[in-house]
Amino acid sequence: MMSPQPNFKTMSLQELRSYVLTHRDDEKAWQEFANRRRPNAIYFEVDMSLLEQETKLNELLEKKLND
């Protein structure tokens, strides 16, 4: 008998990450993990060129290093 699937929505990102690493074939878990927002992620506008993204990223890194 299969055990019930956990509620991925209630898991913290760390809990979900651990679950996904031990249950690599669980597509629903992977979907939830991939769709979660990352609090430390840096997002760029869709129409921003790669050169603009690189420039912005370098500015952010410099700022972080100088903080």
Side-chain angles (χ1 to χ4, degrees):
M1 185 170 140
M2 293 178 61
S3 60
Q5 193 170 46
N7 186 345
F8 304 124
K9 301 270 186 218
T10 61
M11 288 183 172
S12 70
L13 187 58
Q14 282 303 104
E15 290 170 328
L16 186 56
R17 179 180 180 275
S18 294
Y19 180 87
V20 165
L21 288 173
T22 57
H23 299 87
R24 294 174 186 262
D25 294 333
D26 191 330
E27 289 294 321
K28 289 183 181 180
W30 273 107
Q31 267 185 328
E32 177 65 26
F33 183 74
N35 290 328
R36 285 276 181 99
R37 293 195 53 84
R38 303 301 193 273
N40 297 327
I42 298 170
Y43 297 96
F44 295 106
E45 296 295 323
V46 175
D47 59 349
M48 186 181 285
S49 73
L50 288 177
L51 182 59
E52 289 174 299
Q53 290 179 27
E54 183 180 11
T55 302
K56 181 70 173 169
L57 199 51
N58 284 330
E59 289 171 0
L60 292 169
L61 288 171
E62 283 294 320
K63 183 177 183 257
K64 189 67 173 171
L65 290 173
N66 293 326
D67 283 347

